[in-house]
Amino acid sequence: MRKSKPKKRIILPDPKFNDTMVTQFVNNMMFDGKKSVAYAIFYDAMDRIAEKAEKEGKAPLEVFKKALENVTPAVEVKSRRVGGATFQVPTEIRADRKLSVSMKNLIAFARKRSGKSMAEKLGAEIVAAYNQEGGAFKRKEDMHKMAEANRAFAHFRF
């Protein structure tokens, strides 16, 4: 769209935790419009997290939110052509994009994980992210390192 900004769609909270962030996560995880399957996978993963989180006295939703916070990047690099050369320019990320990027990274690395079911893999990745380890956390660290390495080109921001 050239002129007008698209209007934001209202995301309804999920049935179990009554949280819009969970709905957004499930929407990102969903394949072929199968939202009930995505919800089942997510809630099963949360049940698995709950078993581990009970020992620490934490709620599974707290663990999920902390894990998302741990994998949320603050800066990213964007390619910018200046006079025939392409520079990786570090830019700060908008708040809504931060959340979206962190969710997509968490889901992508959960899918790559080895395990039996998606719920098992997702639960393991969320716990790993909560403990500041795992693929999604490493991706965030790599993004930050790349932005730090290219800080000299920050004046090319657009």
Side-chain angles (χ1 to χ4, degrees):
M1 298 173 81
R2 287 178 185 263
K3 291 181 182 172
S4 63
K5 289 255 187 262
K7 61 176 185 272
K8 282 277 181 202
R9 291 200 180 100
I10 299 159
I11 298 175
L12 298 171
D14 75 299
K16 190 173 178 182
F17 296 110
N18 203 27
D19 195 350
T20 54
M21 196 184 286
V22 171
T23 305
Q24 192 178 344
F25 188 84
V26 167
N27 286 345
N28 280 319
M29 194 170 56
M30 173 173 56
F31 274 132
D32 296 329
K34 296 186 182 290
K35 190 176 271 190
S36 58
V37 172
Y39 268 127
I41 290 167
F42 181 78
Y43 290 146
D44 192 11
M46 293 306 270
D47 290 341
R48 290 169 192 269
I49 292 167
E51 291 167 13
K52 294 169 187 164
E54 274 178 20
K55 296 167 190 164
E56 296 176 27
K58 297 253 186 203
L61 194 63
E62 273 181 58
V63 173
F64 170 69
K65 287 191 175 186
K66 183 68 177 159
L68 264 183
E69 191 181 303
N70 287 344
V71 299
T72 302
V75 288
E76 67 180 347
V77 290
K78 287 188 174 180
S79 296
R80 173 105 163 104
R81 271 183 68 88
V82 179
T86 306
F87 296 111
Q88 295 289 333
V89 181
T91 53
E92 286 191 21
I93 311 178
R94 296 187 323 269
D96 56 336
R97 182 165 158 73
K98 275 184 191 180
L99 190 62
S100 181
V101 165
S102 64
M103 285 180 180
K104 285 174 182 167
N105 283 342
L106 201 61
I107 292 163
F109 283 99
R111 286 194 177 124
K112 286 180 188 174
R113 243 180 142 84
S114 62
K116 293 239 185 283
S117 65
M118 180 58 189
E120 193 178 298
K121 295 192 280 190
L122 182 64
E125 188 63 35
I126 289 170
V127 169
Y130 177 76
N131 295 327
Q132 296 189 345
E133 50 198 32
F137 184 75
K138 190 176 181 319
R139 165 71 61 90
K140 175 199 141 182
E141 293 294 307
D142 291 345
M143 283 175 95
H144 282 201
K145 279 181 192 162
M146 192 134 58
E148 185 62 34
N150 291 304
R151 211 173 63 193
F153 307 125
H155 65 280
F156 288 128
R157 260 188 225 138
F158 33 111

